[in-house]
Amino acid sequence: MKVQLRHNPASTIARCFLAGGEPMRVESGAMVAHSAGVTLQAKAEGGILAGLKRSVLAGESFFVSTFTAPQQGGWVDVAPALPGDMLNLQITPDRPFFISRGGWIANSHGVQVESKWGGFANLFGGEGGFGLRAHGDGEIVVGVFGAIDVIDLQPGEPITIDTGHVVAYDLAMNFTMRRAVSGRSIQSLKSGEGFVFDFVGPGRVLLQTRNPGAFAAWAGSVASSG
C-alpha cells in the first residue's frame, strides 16, 4: 500500500494505492471513494468479542471494512470525521505504536490493529484507558483534529503534553500522567488543564493541535445556551 495525502492540512484525504489483489482495512464510515473493481467486505474483525472491545473500549467502530483491489490494482480514498490533517505512519516489527481513541483510519495488510489497555494514565486523563496497538510490518493511516505535530525525542529528552492532544506514541517510550498543577486538583481545573503526560525519549510522539474533547464540551455548551 502506498499513501498519497491531498487537501492537507485542513481537510486532508488519504489516497491508498493497492497492488492487484491487495487488501486494506478501513475504519467503518471512513471511505470517501474508490476506483472501479475494488470490493468491500465488512465484518467484526477478530470476532464479536474483538469488535466489542474495539467499539466500547477503544472508541472505534464495531465493524471493520476490508477493501481489496482487483487484478489490475486500484485505490481507496479515506478521511476522518473531524476536519484536520492525516499522517501515514510506518510500522515495523520492532516499533509498535499506541494509537489514541479515534485516531485510526486505515492500515495495510501487514499491520495488525487491536484494542490495548493504555494504562491508568489514559483512563484518569479523561481520554479513555483503551486505545489501539498497531504492530507488524506496513503502514497505518492516522487522522487528527487540526494539524499534526511530530515530535522525535532524543534519549533522556522530556516533554509535557496535554492528554487530549496526544494521538500516538512509541509503545517503548517511558511516560507518566499527572495533574497539570502537581498535587493540586483545584489549581489544575482553574488553569483549564486537567491532566498531562510526561514523556521521556527516545521515541516519537504525534500530537493534534486541537482537542476533540474540549471542542465537544464547547459545542455542547453553545447548544445548551441557545
Side-chain angles (χ1 to χ4, degrees), residues 162 179-181 185 187-196:
D162 180 275
R179 297 185 180 95
V181 181
S185 300
Q187 288 297 320
S188 290
L189 292 173
K190 285 181 178 179
S191 72
E193 306 294 337
F195 294 86
V196 295

Side-chain angles (χ1 to χ4, degrees), residues 139-186:
E139 291 198 76
I140 182 170
V141 179
V142 177
V144 306
F145 186 28
I148 289 176
D149 268 339
V150 179
I151 300 178
D152 288 312
L153 299 175
Q154 299 303 310
E157 182 182 2
I159 189 172
T160 299
I161 306 170
D162 180 275
T163 54
H165 289 270
V166 174
V167 176
Y169 55 84
D170 275 310
L171 271 170
M173 289 187 68
N174 293 319
F175 73 92
T176 57
M177 186 279 302
R178 60 175 174 83
R179 297 185 180 95
V181 181
S182 298
R184 297 186 178 184
S185 300
I186 295 178

Side-chain angles (χ1 to χ4, degrees), residues 18-215:
L18 304 173
E22 181 182 4
M24 65 174 289
R25 294 179 177 85
V26 178
E27 164 74 333
S28 180
M31 189 277 292
V32 176
H34 63 72
S35 60
V38 173
T39 59
L40 165 63
Q41 182 182 29
K43 64 178 182 179
E45 191 75 19
I48 294 176
L49 182 58
L52 286 171
K53 287 174 62 179
R54 188 169 49 250
S55 60
V56 176
L57 302 178
E60 307 294 340
S61 296
F62 179 85
F63 293 102
V64 173
S65 300
T66 299
F67 292 86
T68 304
Q71 185 176 359
Q72 69 271 24
W75 53 263
V76 180
D77 280 356
V78 294
L82 291 171
D85 210 345
M86 301 177 73
L87 178 77
N88 54 306
L89 186 64
Q90 186 68 36
I91 304 296
T92 58
D94 62 340
R95 197 180 189 188
F97 270 78
F98 182 86
I99 312 297
S100 296
R101 293 168 62 94
W104 171 73
I105 303 298
N107 63 268
S108 62
H109 180 63
V111 175
Q112 290 76 51
V113 177
E114 59 193 13
S115 301
K116 178 177 174 59
W117 172 245
F120 287 102
N122 281 354
L123 180 66
F124 296 127
E127 308 307 322
F130 281 85
L132 295 172
R133 176 178 180 259
H135 60 101
D137 191 5
E139 291 198 76
I140 182 170
V141 179
V142 177
V144 306
F145 186 28
I148 289 176
D149 268 339
V150 179
I151 300 178
D152 288 312
L153 299 175
Q154 299 303 310
E157 182 182 2
I159 189 172
T160 299
I161 306 170
D162 180 275
T163 54
H165 289 270
V166 174
V167 176
Y169 55 84
D170 275 310
L171 271 170
M173 289 187 68
N174 293 319
F175 73 92
T176 57
M177 186 279 302
R178 60 175 174 83
R179 297 185 180 95
V181 181
S182 298
R184 297 186 178 184
S185 300
I186 295 178
Q187 288 297 320
S188 290
L189 292 173
K190 285 181 178 179
S191 72
E193 306 294 337
F195 294 86
V196 295
F197 285 119
D198 289 325
F199 287 97
V200 179
R204 170 169 289 187
V205 186
L206 273 61
L207 281 69
Q208 54 191 357
T209 60
R210 298 292 182 266
N211 185 329
F215 175 75

